[in-house]
Amino acid sequence: AIATIEALYEDESFSERNLAALLASKVFYHLGELQESLTYALCAGPLFDVTETSDYVQTIVGKCIDEYMKLREKGEISGEEVQIDARLEAIVQRMFNKCLEDGQLEQAIGIALDSCQLDLLRTVAEHGNFDKKLLTYALGVCKNLIVSRKFREKALRLMVELFKRLDQPDWLVISQCLMYLEEPASVADILTNLLAQDSDSILLAYQIAFDLYENEQPQFLSKVSEYVDKSTGKKTEAEAATPAAAAEDEASAGGDSGAQPMEADTSAGPGAAASEPAKEAKREAKAEKLLSILEGDAPIKLHLEFLYSNNRTDTTILKNLKASVESRNSVCHSAIILANALMHMGTTVDTFLREHLDWLARATNWAKFSATAGLGVIHRGQLTQGQYLMAPYLPMEGSSGSPFSEGGALYALGLMHCDKGKVIRDFLLQSLRNATSEVVQHGACLGIGLATLGTDDEEVFEDLKNVLYTDSAVAGEAAGIAIGLLAVGTGSDKTEQMLAYAHDTQHEKITRGLALGCALVVYGREESADPLILQLCQDQNPILRYGGMFAIGLAYSGTMSNFAIQKLLHFAVSDVSDDVRRAAVMCLGFVMYSQPEQCPHTVALLSESFNPHVRYGVAMALGIACAGTGMKEAMTILTALSKDAVDFVRQGALIATSMVLLQQPESRVSAFRKNLDKIVSDKHEDVMCKMGAIISVGLIDAGGRNVNIRLRSRNGFPRLLSVVGMAVFTQYWYWYPLSYFMSLPLTPTALIGLNENLDMPKFSVHSKCKPSVFAYPEPVAYANNVVVSKAPTAVLSTTAKAKARAAKKEAKKDQAEGMEVEESASREEQKDAAGGDKKKDDGGKDAQQGGEASGSGKDEAQPKAEASEEVKENPTRVVPAQEKFIHFDSKGRFVPISGDASAGIIMLRDTEPGKDVDVVAISTPVNTALAEDDTEPPPPEPFEYMPNVD
């Protein structure tokens, strides 16, 4: 029958060929041959009605759109013209028109972007009268769902144009898009134009600068700063020259006509001249404030003050850890020092270390290196005093200290000045050149890599290359990573030299450092990184293939690219090296963190793999992708992995769990805390697992319980510093000192409101949920004794039988006694009932009074009901899950300049500008050391020393 129908269609003399084609299409559809069905549906012409709601039409239209989009996407990526059937295009166009007619504009946007047709996207925007919600939806699709970077950039350029056509252009969104498109000059123009307008525009300029800073693109911001500096400088000079030139013209004109100035004119002259310097000073002050935000000085200072003043670290937890772990165990000792550094990250509080100097002194060699580096995490953000704080440990001419302390101090300076290292660059570079010990070189390389992150500085590159070519395993590994940090995201051709040396050297450590460095260089490059990825993945050396996995993860960071996910999954199940398989699964987390809900079901089957390295990779992938989300699906897998038979799998599961539960309500975290305490205090637990538990304890309370891991900014763009820090942190598997890179992804969860002067005015916001939900955890009690788990006792079968018989006899005896008690109790009740009627009337009143008394006592004893909302004063801690509950008082004095702001640094508009403003008193971190020019404090008053008095 189908052959007959096909023959009718092919007969050109047959008048109903279209009907035959439609019939053939339906037959093939029911036979399951969708490709044939689509072919005949296209031949049916207008008889194939796309508006029909049947399963057949829906399926064929879907197939048609998929086929069309594949062809368009192929042409867009390859840059070549692809022949597309005009009938296929006609059906897609009819479907698009139907969406417009039915008002289904979001579906129309999907068709336009999936088919890579920006003219259709413009049509949808015009049809929707440039509705802001519609454009915001389209922007979300552009950022999250477009696979090709090249087409994504084209789409974002169009989005910039469309957002400019709004009645009130959204400069915040436009600036974010221009940042992604790497157009610093355009962003600088927007900022300088806003700066020259009214006070609301100035606030908006500051808000744009803070939002750009949050994206962690240091090189882009430095270019914007240069353009702003030039434009404001030129503008000031031009405006200063204009009044003088105008005055000369007027004077010459007056001289020619012979007219004399009036008294009023002469009196007005000095006043006008005096007002010009005041205006110029105001302009300069505004430009300086804007530059301080773009260069990071203002936000770093604000975050430092917030973390210091809101520090809620419970040092009892650290004391309990110290008491629970044997001091001879160097792995756990180093883990506690790391936990302390993470718990006090950015708070500048190092009291725990000062109080336990004897215990700290047990750290030797590389443990001493790590302990010194931990100070850089604690004092992160101390840009002005960093070198002074680390002075006792830094290498000095004429004095020979411990190379481990000196190397650790240089590494600490890098952590302290991460991506803001202009002030420290020369010192670190000189220290690197002067270093003779490979340990000091190791610390100097890591420090200079962090301080010059992303600058692609040629002078620094040459010095790092010189260290690399010494062929020292320890220094060479750090140099390889440092070159990657120096050129991160640039896609530089330095990778050729790095790979050439990686093949020449015999040291695995150097090869691994260079492999990771190559991956860092191609961060965010997507398709342009494919040649390097192919080269690394096909290399015979498993260490370079390991680097290839990280190259895929970082190049396609946060893109949800199917190509990247498929390639990683392929290596996860097929490579012969356990290291490569582990890295492949782990890097799924880097590709998928933009849509964390997709990660758990992607790795669920791999979590049951026979290979423990794959299972460890699953744990870390979930930790990276779902960090700070508290996702139940991720927790289900991690809970199973935390009971794994292999120690390092349990270690990874514990660390990943702490990442997922970071800043979650205490009701969800308390059980995990108890489990960590149990693992740490158990003397029979494996050291690897115990180390993971100690790091988890530090991570779950990181930054004084005021920070979270955020690999994506609130505007949906990847945060370079956070992703890079997380990638290098995962290398702790090979080298423990790299675990301090975990401080880079940790971001303050603060709401900080600022006025036009960048001061914090006193104002409040409402959190529309119970205060206890997102409250800080309660302090922990000090545990003097250590919990020791008892080994199970062997029980013989005969003993078990004897115990069972004894238990049966005891049960019978208890039953008999119970019956006797019940009988005596019933007799007592009968007696009471007989005499109870007489006392009934007399005791009624007393009972009533007693009841009232007890009722009032109950009311007093009952705790007060918890409030349903909370008022939070500026600045305050707002965790990510709490952001949706934050509301600003619309009738209050201070309202945010950006309507949808609920956390972060927010610029506030003053609705009553004439009144005095109460400013929040800033509590600055206290520096315990003395400055060079300070005088010594006076000696204490005479006193009598009594040793027996406590």
Side-chain angles (χ1 to χ4, degrees):
I2 187 65
T4 309
I5 297 168
E6 286 180 299
L8 286 172
Y9 167 71
E10 288 165 7
D11 184 1
E12 293 183 4
S13 61
F14 184 56
S15 58
E16 299 293 338
R17 288 183 68 211
N18 289 353
L19 186 60
L22 182 64
L23 182 59
S25 173
K26 289 186 177 182
V27 171
F28 276 118
Y29 166 75
H30 288 290
L31 290 172
E33 299 287 342
L34 295 183
Q35 192 61 45
E36 293 291 328
S37 179
L38 173 62
T39 304
Y40 279 104
L42 293 175
C43 297
L47 289 182
F48 181 68
D49 184 10
V50 295
T51 60
E52 194 180 317
T53 56
S54 65
D55 288 345
Y56 159 70
V57 170
Q58 297 285 332
T59 306
I60 298 303
V61 166
K63 178 78 176 167
C64 176
I65 292 172
D66 287 346
E67 198 71 27
Y68 178 71
M69 286 169 187
K70 277 181 193 172
L71 294 170
R72 290 284 306 185
E73 194 176 313
K74 184 181 175 184
E76 188 64 40
I77 292 171
S78 64
E80 300 172 1
E81 270 195 52
V82 178
Q83 293 296 325
I84 299 175
D85 192 329
R87 297 170 300 177
L88 197 66
E89 201 157 357
I91 286 183
V92 173
Q93 189 63 46
R94 275 154 60 193
M95 199 66 206
F96 177 77
N97 293 336
K98 180 179 180 292
C99 289
L100 290 183
E101 288 167 13
D102 295 348
Q104 297 175 328
L105 300 184
E106 291 182 357
Q107 283 87 336
I109 287 171
I111 292 173
L113 290 174
D114 282 346
S115 61
C116 302
Q117 289 183 288
L118 294 179
D119 52 336
L120 295 184
L121 180 59
R122 193 189 296 274
T123 305
V124 176
E126 289 170 356
H127 189 85
N129 298 320
F130 298 98
D131 179 53
K132 189 175 178 181
K133 284 184 180 177
L134 189 68
L135 293 182
T136 305
Y137 172 80
L139 179 65
V141 174
C142 291
K143 287 191 293 190
N144 298 324
L145 300 178
I146 294 179
V147 177
S148 165
R149 182 187 176 93
K150 188 178 171 185
F151 179 66
R152 194 185 310 126
E153 288 178 354
K154 287 181 184 176
L156 287 175
R157 286 184 202 284
L158 177 61
M159 292 310 302
V160 168
E161 186 187 323
L162 295 176
F163 270 101
K164 282 182 179 176
R165 293 183 64 179
L166 291 172
D167 296 334
Q168 292 183 339
D170 194 332
W171 297 115
L172 286 165
V173 172
I174 291 168
S175 302
Q176 294 287 328
C177 293
L178 291 171
M179 180 214 68
Y180 183 84
L181 296 168
E182 295 180 2
E183 294 186 11
S186 303
V187 174
D189 288 343
I190 291 170
L191 293 173
T192 47
N193 289 336
L194 289 171
L195 217 56
Q197 296 175 30
D198 59 358
S199 60
D200 280 8
S201 300
I202 293 165
L203 289 172
L204 187 58
Y206 293 161
Q207 186 67 64
I208 289 170
F210 277 120
D211 285 1
L212 288 173
Y213 175 78
E214 192 195 350
N215 292 322
E216 293 180 347
Q217 299 286 341
Q219 295 319 302
F220 178 82
L221 290 182
S222 66
K223 289 176 186 173
V224 173
S225 300
E226 286 172 19
Y227 283 118
V228 168
D229 201 13
K230 286 176 187 175
S231 59
T232 51
K234 284 177 186 175
K235 194 171 181 180
T236 307
E237 287 169 19
E239 287 175 355
T242 306
E248 283 177 19
D249 293 342
E250 284 174 11
S252 61
D256 293 340
S257 63
Q260 296 295 321
M262 295 174 67
E263 286 181 14
D265 294 339
T266 50
S267 63
S275 66
E276 282 305 318
K279 285 182 182 177
E280 189 178 326
K282 278 185 180 178
R283 277 194 294 270
E284 285 178 3
K286 286 186 285 187
E288 280 175 16
K289 283 172 187 167
L290 183 63
L291 289 171
S292 74
I293 299 168
L294 290 170
E295 290 167 2
D297 297 336
I300 286 172
K301 186 183 173 188
L302 289 165
H303 286 152
L304 191 66
E305 289 159 357
F306 171 78
L307 291 174
Y308 174 73
S309 57
N310 289 271
N311 180 21
R312 295 292 186 280
T313 303
D314 190 352
T315 51
T316 311
I317 294 173
L318 289 166
K319 290 173 184 174
N320 288 345
L321 286 177
K322 177 176 162 290
S324 302
V325 173
E326 290 181 14
S327 56
R328 291 173 296 173
N329 191 327
S330 64
V331 173
C332 292
H333 187 274
S334 297
I336 295 173
I337 294 171
L338 171 61
N340 170 63
L342 291 174
M343 287 170 85
H344 290 97
M345 194 280 292
T347 63
T348 73
V349 177
D350 54 7
T351 49
F352 177 77
L353 298 178
R354 290 175 183 277
E355 288 171 2
H356 301 90
L357 289 173
D358 294 341
W359 172 81
L360 187 64
R362 290 174 188 157
T364 57
N365 300 333
W366 285 106
K368 184 183 280 190
F369 176 93
S370 297
T372 315
L375 291 172
V377 175
I378 293 170
H379 293 283
R380 187 181 170 194
Q382 287 272 29
L383 301 182
T384 53
Q385 297 182 351
Q387 195 172 343
Y388 169 66
L389 286 165
M390 298 306 299
Y393 311 99
L394 289 168
M396 295 173 70
E397 291 181 15
S399 65
S400 57
S402 164
F404 294 100
S405 289
E406 291 176 355
L410 293 171
Y411 180 21
L413 280 180
L415 290 166
M416 224 182 274
H417 296 81
C418 189
D419 87 356
K420 295 285 175 294
K422 286 181 184 177
V423 291
I424 208 72
R425 172 192 175 276
D426 295 337
F427 173 77
L428 287 170
L429 206 54
Q430 195 58 47
S431 300
L432 180 61
R433 289 167 183 165
N434 296 340
T436 52
S437 164
E438 64 177 8
V439 179
V440 179
Q441 285 180 329
H442 182 89
C445 285
L446 291 175
I448 195 75
L450 284 163
T452 58
L453 189 110
T455 58
D456 209 14
D457 189 321
E458 282 300 324
E459 184 185 0
V460 176
F461 173 65
E462 288 302 321
D463 281 316
L464 290 171
K465 199 164 66 171
N466 292 337
V467 174
L468 187 66
Y469 289 163
T470 59
D471 208 42
S472 160
V474 172
E477 180 184 33
I481 295 171
I483 292 170
L485 293 170
L486 178 72
V488 65
T490 59
S492 167
D493 56 2
K494 293 182 176 65
T495 52
E496 294 174 11
Q497 299 177 54
M498 295 165 75
L499 281 176
Y501 191 73
H503 284 110
D504 291 343
T505 185
Q506 298 299 310
H507 295 291
E508 286 190 0
K509 285 174 77 70
I510 295 177
T511 308
R512 189 174 295 111
L514 288 167
L516 181 63
C518 288
L520 291 170
V521 171
V522 295
Y523 164 82
R525 306 307 296 178
E526 298 183 38
E527 294 94 345
S528 59
D530 286 350
L532 178 68
I533 289 170
L534 190 66
Q535 187 179 352
L536 288 169
C537 292
Q538 290 181 347
D539 202 285
Q540 289 184 348
N541 189 336
I543 298 175
L544 289 176
R545 292 204 305 278
Y546 173 87
M549 299 304 102
F550 275 92
I552 296 170
L554 293 177
Y556 290 92
S557 169
T559 60
M560 285 296 296
S561 163
N562 281 333
F563 163 77
I565 293 170
Q566 285 171 6
K567 207 162 184 66
L568 289 170
L569 287 172
H570 169 71
F571 277 95
V573 295
S574 65
D575 201 276
V576 294
S577 166
D578 284 337
D579 286 356
V580 177
R581 296 179 71 175
R582 185 181 69 249
V585 182
M586 196 189 302
C587 287
L588 286 169
F590 288 108
V591 177
M592 304 181 80
Y593 65 75
S594 59
Q595 295 180 33
E597 65 280 356
Q598 299 291 331
C599 190
H601 70 76
T602 305
V603 298
L605 282 175
L606 292 171
S607 69
E608 298 170 12
S609 168
F610 70 92
N611 190 322
H613 291 265
V614 172
R615 299 200 298 274
Y616 173 90
V618 168
M620 293 307 290
L622 289 170
I624 293 163
C626 307
T629 61
M631 197 174 292
K632 289 180 181 177
E633 294 84 354
M635 286 303 302
T636 304
I637 298 172
L638 288 172
T639 304
L641 290 174
S642 64
K643 297 170 185 172
D644 199 275
V646 181
D647 54 358
F648 64 79
V649 177
R650 296 201 300 277
Q651 181 194 67
L654 291 173
I655 293 172
T657 305
S658 65
M659 289 159 69
V660 174
L661 290 178
L662 197 58
Q663 296 274 284
Q664 292 300 305
E666 190 58 22
S667 57
R668 299 193 59 194
V669 182
S670 56
F672 178 61
R673 286 186 193 277
K674 288 175 185 173
N675 187 32
L676 292 177
D677 292 342
K678 184 182 173 186
I679 292 168
V680 172
S681 58
D682 186 354
K683 291 217 169 187
H684 301 284
E685 187 59 80
D686 293 312
V687 173
M688 294 291 286
C689 184
K690 196 174 282 195
M691 175 195 168
I694 294 169
I695 294 173
S696 301
V697 169
L699 196 51
I700 201 82
D701 289 334
R705 295 173 170 168
N706 291 304
V707 295
N708 194 11
I709 295 172
R710 198 186 280 270
L711 301 184
R712 244 181 151 209
S713 69
R714 289 181 182 83
N715 296 300
F717 292 100
R719 304 178 77 226
L720 179 143
L721 200 60
S722 298
V723 176
V724 166
M726 186 64 79
V728 183
F729 164 75
T730 58
Q731 307 308 305
Y732 83 90
W733 176 278
Y734 302 102
W735 192 236
Y736 289 159
L738 296 178
S739 55
Y740 287 89
F741 272 79
M742 177 46 90
S743 61
L744 272 59
L746 297 174
T747 314
T749 49
L751 187 154
I752 304 172
L754 302 177
N755 62 11
E756 196 174 339
N757 299 323
L758 300 189
D759 293 325
M760 288 189 280
K762 289 186 177 177
F763 89 105
S764 56
V765 294
H766 293 270
S767 174
K768 301 283 185 180
C769 64
K770 292 181 178 179
S772 62
V773 176
F774 299 108
Y776 288 107
E778 292 294 323
V780 173
Y782 178 63
N784 234 340
N785 55 339
V786 180
V787 179
V788 181
S789 63
K790 294 180 181 178
T793 310
V795 180
L796 298 173
S797 59
T798 52
T799 311
K801 287 176 183 176
K803 280 185 179 178
R805 282 196 297 271
K808 275 184 183 178
K809 284 181 184 177
E810 198 68 32
K812 284 180 182 177
K813 189 178 176 184
D814 289 344
Q815 191 177 359
E817 287 176 359
M819 288 174 69
E820 288 176 10
V821 169
E822 280 176 14
E823 286 175 8
S824 62
S826 62
R827 284 196 295 269
E828 289 292 328
E829 281 175 13
Q830 286 172 4
K831 285 180 183 178
D832 290 343
D837 293 337
K838 295 178 183 177
K839 296 180 181 178
K840 189 174 181 182
D841 296 332
D842 299 335
K845 290 178 183 177
D846 295 338
Q848 190 176 354
Q849 288 170 3
E852 286 173 6
S854 64
S856 62
K858 262 185 191 175
D859 292 341
E860 286 173 12
Q862 275 182 352
K864 290 182 180 178
E866 190 180 359
S868 59
E869 63 179 63
E870 181 185 10
V871 176
K872 300 176 84 69
E873 300 295 332
N874 181 39
T876 185
R877 167 187 182 254
V878 175
V879 301
Q882 193 178 5
E883 288 178 15
K884 59 187 175 186
F885 299 108
I886 296 295
H887 293 272
F888 288 84
D889 186 0
S890 56
K891 296 179 182 177
R893 178 173 176 181
F894 294 99
V895 292
I897 197 72
S898 171
D900 55 351
S902 57
I905 300 175
I906 300 171
M907 297 308 300
L908 302 169
R909 184 173 69 245
D910 190 352
T911 56
E912 300 171 7
K915 291 185 179 179
D916 292 338
V917 179
D918 290 335
V919 178
V920 178
I922 292 167
S923 49
T924 347
V926 180
N927 185 10
T928 51
L930 290 170
E932 289 175 6
D933 56 346
D934 283 348
T935 55
E936 264 195 52
E941 295 293 324
F943 62 93
E944 185 181 350
Y945 174 60
M946 300 175 71
N948 296 328
V949 176
D950 203 0

